[in-house]
């Protein structure tokens, strides 16, 4: 299996637990042979998978005899928005609903491959440092595989994420400091405890990150291989945006599609190292100091795969944009109310970005734009509570009070139906 840099394409010969191109700082990949049996590969994508993401197995490097650790991840719907698109004046606004994955995020597409590889190698203990979602995905698949899993989350992590990790039986540790410190802890612990660091980066687990390419195959198939104009991804470490684009590039090389989408990288204004580097025309990101945002899943001061994500955005002819928390929360609530999909803030940022880029005249009203809703907001319901609203109370049998309660909502003019 040959490895190379995704950016400068030079062969990689460095260490096998921390992969970075020594020449350009790009991420390392193991390319798929698209030539030898291209008809078989085309068929896999055309037919889709009824077996999680494992119907696309030929696009990952997993030993042929490895039994997948799987829970039906992937195969998520691409939703054409009716009411949300109308709100923004966008006819071609789509949502790739990754909130439906087993642990609630697209990171399950990584975890299923990572845990399958780990089990095939005879590994019995894994560890991961994370803001919450990556750990939840790895803890879930570790539980399914019957492996010990050590979890390091910063004390500021959203409580619901911490509880979800505990529910899966992860051995929970508060890593004092930030996400980056937790990530380093899991990596440094490898030499001491012999566990496998399951960090969801190409830097640590380049082969498992290939699981994310399946998002592109599914989007293309859902759209009958009529490629969207824009694919909009949140950027934390910069992996999902890079791997989704790689999936589209593979399909183009296979002749399944005739053009490529423009990739839009979205960050929160309170922590936007990639957007800053993009705007300044730089090739690499710098650490963001003293950031803060409600979108904790993309609150990554260090963009681990910054060089690659910047290259992806530019290569695709796309762009990078940052949104303030208020716009992210507004988009999140609108999506829940109008499309009945509840994304978490990091994911809703893509919707806020689509709306903003349409207002700015970048995305046309008829352009097709896909927002990748990476994670579920069902664990963030407190962001939806309307504490300013006095909810009416009605005693049993008090029809007069019930009449007043109904009138209360009629007067607010929020019947929920379109005018
Ligand atoms: C991890 C995560 C992201 C960021 O993805 P990267 O691949 O690190 O750029 C976005 N949204 C959610 C919900 C996440 O959990
Ligand atoms: Zn390189």
């Amino acid at each position: 299996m040959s490895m190379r840099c995704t950016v400068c394409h030079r062969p990689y010969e460095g260490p096998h637990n921390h992969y970075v191109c020594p020449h350009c700082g790009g991420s390392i990949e193991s390319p798929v042979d698209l030539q030898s049996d291209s008809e078989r590969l085309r068929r896999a994508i055309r037919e889709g998978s009824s077996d999680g993401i494992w119907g696309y197995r030929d696009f990952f490097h997993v030993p042929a005899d490895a039994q997948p650790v799987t829970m039906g991840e992937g195969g998520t719907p691409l939703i054409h928005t009716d009411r949300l698109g109308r709100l923004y004046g966008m006819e071609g606004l789509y949502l790739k609903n990754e909130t439906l994955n087993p642990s609630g995020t697209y990171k399950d597409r990584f975890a299923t491959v990572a845990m399958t590889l780990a089990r095939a190698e005879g590994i019995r203990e894994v560890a991961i440092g994370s803001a919450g979602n990556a750990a939840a995905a790895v803890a879930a698949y570790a539980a399914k595989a019957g492996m010990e899993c050590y979890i390091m989350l910063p004390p500021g992590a959203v409580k619901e994420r911490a509880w979800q990790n505990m529910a899966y039986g992860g051995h929970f540790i508060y890593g004092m400091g930030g996400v980056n410190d937790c990530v380093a802890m899991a990596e440094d612990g490898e030499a001491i405890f012999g566990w496998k660091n399951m960090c969801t980066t190409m830097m640590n687990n380049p082969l498992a990150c290939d699981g994310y390419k399946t998002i592109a195959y599914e989007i293309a198939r859902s759209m009958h291989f009529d490629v969207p104009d824009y694919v909009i991804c949140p950027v934390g470490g910069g992996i999902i945006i890079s791997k989704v684009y790689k999936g589209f590039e593979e399909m183009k090389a296979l002749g399944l599609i005739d053009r490529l989408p423009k990739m839009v990288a979205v960050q929160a204004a309170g922590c936007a190292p990639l957007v800053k580097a993009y705007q300044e025309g730089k090739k690499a990101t710098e650490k963001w100091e003293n950031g803060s945002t409600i979108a904790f899943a993309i609150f990554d001061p260090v963009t681990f795969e910054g060089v690659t994500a910047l290259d992806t955005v530019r290569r695709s002819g796309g762009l990078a944009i940052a949104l303030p928390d208020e716009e992210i929360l507004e988009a999140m609530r609108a999506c829940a109310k109008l499309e009945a999909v509840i994304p978490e803030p990091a994911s809703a940022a893509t919707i806020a970005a689509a709306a903003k880029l349409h207002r700015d005249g970048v995305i046309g009203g008829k352009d097709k734009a896909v927002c990748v809703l990476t994670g579920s907001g069902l664990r963030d319901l407190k962001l939806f509570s309307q504490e300013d609203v006095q909810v009416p109370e009605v005693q049993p049998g008090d029809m007069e009070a019930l009449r007043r309660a109904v009138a209360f909502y009629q007067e607010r003019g929020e019947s929920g139906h379109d005018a």
Side-chain angles (χ1 to χ4, degrees):
M1 186 178 60
S2 71
M3 303 200 85
R4 66 169 192 191
C5 172
T6 60
V7 177
C8 74
H9 294 177
R10 286 190 180 89
Y12 177 76
E13 275 145 11
H16 279 209
N17 63 345
H18 193 98
Y19 301 79
V20 178
C21 175
H23 306 286
C24 76
S27 310
I28 304 303
E29 66 177 354
S30 191
V32 176
D33 173 4
L34 298 172
Q35 254 94 52
S36 316
D37 200 352
S38 54
E39 190 42 45
R40 175 191 162 101
L41 296 175
R42 275 191 290 274
R43 206 182 316 125
I45 292 179
R46 270 199 212 103
E47 286 176 5
S49 172
S50 53
D51 185 20
I53 68 169
W54 289 93
Y56 305 108
R57 185 175 182 141
D58 290 342
F59 293 88
F60 328 131
H61 296 277
V62 174
D65 58 352
Q67 191 61 31
V69 181
T70 177
M71 297 192 274
E73 58 291 326
T76 59
L78 183 72
I79 301 167
H80 177 252
T81 66
D82 303 303
R83 302 180 63 203
L84 191 63
R86 209 175 304 144
L87 175 71
Y88 299 133
M90 302 176 77
E91 278 175 33
L93 184 63
Y94 293 80
L95 310 174
K96 177 65 171 163
N97 188 4
E98 288 294 297
T99 75
L100 295 174
N101 281 296
S103 82
T105 74
Y106 78 102
K107 286 196 170 80
D108 292 339
R109 296 179 192 257
F110 166 95
T112 183
V113 181
M115 210 57 71
T116 300
L117 284 167
R119 193 164 68 179
E121 285 168 30
I123 286 161
R124 309 194 55 87
E125 291 195 351
V126 297
I128 180 164
S130 136
N133 286 337
V138 167
Y141 283 78
K144 179 72 178 156
M147 265 189 234
E148 300 300 314
C149 180
Y150 292 87
I151 302 287
M152 292 100 190
L153 258 54
V158 177
K159 281 279 173 278
E160 284 77 3
R161 299 300 185 289
W163 296 331
Q164 185 183 3
N165 273 287
M166 292 173 187
Y168 294 133
H171 305 312
F172 196 91
I173 296 165
Y174 276 124
M176 306 312 281
V179 179
N180 298 127
D181 303 298
C182 292
V183 168
M185 226 175 269
E187 184 171 322
D188 295 344
E190 274 191 322
I192 303 166
F193 303 105
W195 63 42
K196 168 109 180 82
N197 171 25
M198 292 302 229
C199 187
T200 58
T201 53
M202 292 184 258
M203 191 173 81
N204 294 113
N205 290 292
L207 303 185
C209 290
D210 281 338
Y212 296 149
K213 296 188 298 185
T214 56
I215 295 173
Y217 311 150
E218 290 176 10
I219 290 173
R221 186 165 180 271
S222 296
M223 298 183 114
H224 307 288
F225 300 98
D226 180 15
V227 178
D229 301 287
Y230 295 90
V231 175
I232 308 175
C233 294
V235 168
I239 301 100
I240 181 175
I241 191 166
S242 307
K243 283 297 181 185
V244 167
Y245 193 61
K246 182 67 62 176
F248 278 105
E249 286 183 321
E250 287 174 346
M251 287 187 284
K252 179 136 187 294
L254 286 168
L256 283 165
I257 55 176
D258 57 5
R259 62 199 177 92
L260 293 163
K262 294 185 176 71
M263 302 300 292
V264 177
V266 183
Q267 295 195 301
C271 182
L274 185 106
V275 176
K276 181 164 181 283
Y278 170 81
Q279 286 168 349
E280 292 172 352
K282 300 221 170 93
K283 283 207 160 79
T285 52
E286 281 166 24
K287 184 173 181 193
W288 188 274
E289 302 293 346
N290 306 316
S292 120
T293 170
I294 189 89
F296 73 92
I298 50 173
F299 184 14
D300 288 286
V302 175
T303 318
F304 292 114
E305 321 283 347
V307 170
T308 307
L310 283 165
D311 178 68
T312 298
V313 167
R314 294 193 176 113
R315 191 163 89 230
S316 77
L319 60 121
I321 178 174
L323 283 305
D325 280 5
E326 309 82 74
E327 283 180 45
I328 291 172
L329 289 173
E330 203 182 314
M332 184 185 79
R333 293 178 185 133
C335 182
K337 206 165 191 173
L338 300 177
E339 299 297 330
V341 175
I342 301 184
E344 65 171 85
S347 313
T350 62
I351 298 171
K356 170 97 171 73
L357 291 172
H358 178 55
R359 282 199 305 278
D360 292 351
V362 178
I363 301 183
K366 291 195 191 311
D367 284 350
K368 289 196 174 120
V370 175
C371 295
V372 183
L373 298 189
T374 44
S376 172
L378 282 176
R379 301 156 299 168
D380 304 296
L381 289 178
K382 63 176 173 297
L383 298 175
F384 291 86
S385 80
Q386 302 181 0
E387 266 138 24
D388 51 319
V389 176
Q390 179 80 45
V391 176
E393 291 176 8
V394 177
Q395 298 299 327
D398 188 347
M399 289 302 117
E400 224 12 79
L402 184 58
R403 209 184 295 278
R404 282 196 302 277
V406 171
F408 169 79
Y409 285 105
Q410 288 170 335
E411 277 154 28
R412 288 177 84 212
E414 285 187 29
S415 69
H417 296 290
D418 292 322

